[in-house]
C-alpha cells in the first residue's frame, strides 16, 4: 500500500509514520508513504494557496490550481482513489477500511480554512469521507485516522489476525471489556469467568458484554446487530 498525502503541513505525517505499528509497517515494506506540500505548487513567490470565496462569506478557500498541480505530480495518479476529508463527507466506517485496504495506493487531500474549491472535488475527488460530526482545523488528523484504520487490514500489518475478527464494529457490536494483571486493582477484581479456563463460558460472557456495551453506547449499531440475527 502506498499513501500520498497532499497537505500544507508535511511535518505532521513524518512524525506519525515514525511511531509505533505504523513505523513497523513502513520498515517492513508493507506501507509506503509520500507527503506532498501543496504550497510547492502555488505558482507565486509568496506560496499563497488560498483566496476569498466568490459570493462573499467568512474565511478563505483553498484554490484549485495548486491542489490540481500537486495531484498531477503523482505518477499515474488516476490509478488511485482520491479521498477528500471533509465534515460534509460520508461517515468513514470499518467496512470502508476493509475495502480500501485491498488497493495498491490512495491519495488523500487535506483541506484547510473553509475547504477547497468545489471544482477539485467535481473533477478529481472520487470519495469524500468524514470522521465524525464535528469540525477540525484541517484534514491532516482525519487523513491519518483513515490511513491507520485502513492499514490494520493490510495483510501482514497486524501480528495477530485474530485481533481483527474480535474488534469493535466487526459484527455491529463494540468490543468486550479487556483485563490484564494484576488480578486485583484498587479493590476491583477481574471477573471470575475470565480466570476459569472455560473457553465456552468466556466466549458467552464476552458476547453478552459486547451486546450490553453496544446497546448502551451505540444503540444505532445495536439495532443493526439485531436485524442481522438469524430468525429463531
Amino acid at each position: 500500500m502506498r499513501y500520498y498525502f497532499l497537505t500544507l503541513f508535511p511535518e505532521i505525517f513524518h512524525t506519525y509514520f515514525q511511531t509505533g505499528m505504523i513505523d513497523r509497517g513502513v520498515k517492513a515494506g508493507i506501507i509506503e508513504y509520500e507527503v506532498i506540500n501543496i504550497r510547492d505548487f502555488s505558482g507565486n513567490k509568496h506560496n499563497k494557496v488560498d483566496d476569498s470565496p466568490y459570493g462573499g462569506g467568512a474565511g478563505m478557500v483553498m484554490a484549485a490550481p495548486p491542489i490540481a498541480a500537486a495531484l498531477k505530480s503523482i505518477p499515474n495518479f488516476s490509478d488511485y482513489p482520491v479521498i477528500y476529508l471533509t465534515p460534509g463527507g460520508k461517515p468513514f466506517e470499518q467496512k470502508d477500511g476493509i475495502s480500501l485496504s485491498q488497493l495498491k495506493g490512495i491519495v488523500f487531500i487535506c483541506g484547510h480554512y473553509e475547504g477547497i474549491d468545489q471544482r477539485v472535488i467535481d473533477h478529481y475527488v472520487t470519495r469524500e469521507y468524514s470522521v465524525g460530526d464535528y469540525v477540525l482545523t484541517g484534514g491532516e488528523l482525519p487523513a491519518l485516522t483513515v490511513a491507520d484504520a485502513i492499514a490494520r487490514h493490510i495483510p501482514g500489518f497486524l501480528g495477530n489476525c485474530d485481533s481483527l475478527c474480535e474488534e469493535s464494529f466487526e459484527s455491529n457490536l463494540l468490543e468486550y471489556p479487556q483485563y490484564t494483571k494484576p488480578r486485583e486493582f484498587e479493590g476491583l477484581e477481574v471477573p471470575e469467568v475470565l480466570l476459569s479456563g472455560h473457553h465456552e463460558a468466556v466466549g458467552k460472557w464476552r458476547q453478552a458484554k459486547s451486546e450490553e456495551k453496544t446497546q448502551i453506547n451505540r444503540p444505532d449499531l445495536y439495532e443493526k446487530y439485531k436485524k442481522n440475527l438469524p430468525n429463531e
Side-chain angles (χ1 to χ4, degrees), residues 20-200:
M21 292 190 66
I22 288 288
D23 176 55
R24 284 163 49 188
V26 171
K27 289 178 177 176
I30 297 170
I31 298 172
E32 297 178 344
Y33 78 101
E34 182 175 341
V35 184
I36 300 169
N37 191 337
I38 296 172
R39 292 191 188 279
D40 292 341
F41 301 87
S42 65
N44 61 77
K45 65 179 182 180
H46 300 295
N47 292 328
K48 182 178 172 63
V49 295
D50 63 331
D51 215 319
S52 56
Y54 280 120
M60 304 290 275
V61 177
M62 289 180 66
I67 299 173
L71 181 60
K72 291 174 183 177
S73 73
I74 300 172
N76 303 312
F77 74 90
S78 59
D79 291 345
Y80 310 115
V82 177
I83 295 176
Y84 173 48
L85 289 312
T86 167
K90 171 187 175 293
F92 182 82
E93 299 180 8
Q94 185 89 330
K95 63 183 179 181
D96 298 310
I98 295 171
S99 174
L100 289 166
S101 71
Q102 301 171 28
L103 304 179
K104 62 181 180 179
I106 300 170
V107 180
F108 296 93
I109 298 178
C110 305
H112 265 269
Y113 315 120
E114 294 302 310
I116 66 176
D117 191 302
Q118 181 65 35
R119 290 168 291 186
V120 173
I121 299 171
D122 294 341
H123 196 55
Y124 294 108
V125 172
T126 56
R127 308 186 191 194
E128 294 180 82
Y129 282 122
S130 166
V131 295
D133 294 338
Y134 49 86
V135 179
L136 299 173
T137 55
E140 284 75 19
L141 292 179
L144 286 170
T145 298
V146 171
D148 190 298
I150 293 168
R152 297 175 59 79
H153 297 281
I154 299 173
F157 181 82
L158 288 182
N160 183 1
C161 294
D162 291 340
S163 297
L164 286 174
C165 299
E166 298 181 359
E167 285 183 328
S168 293
F169 308 113
E170 284 302 315
S171 302
N172 290 318
L173 287 177
L174 302 180
E175 190 174 10
Y176 48 79
Q178 299 278 15
Y179 298 86
T180 187
K181 297 176 181 178
R183 181 169 176 171
E184 184 272 335
F185 170 70
E186 295 186 353
L188 301 174
E189 296 275 354
V190 174
E192 280 297 326
V193 66
L194 300 180
L195 307 172
S196 67
H198 193 304
H199 297 298
E200 184 177 351

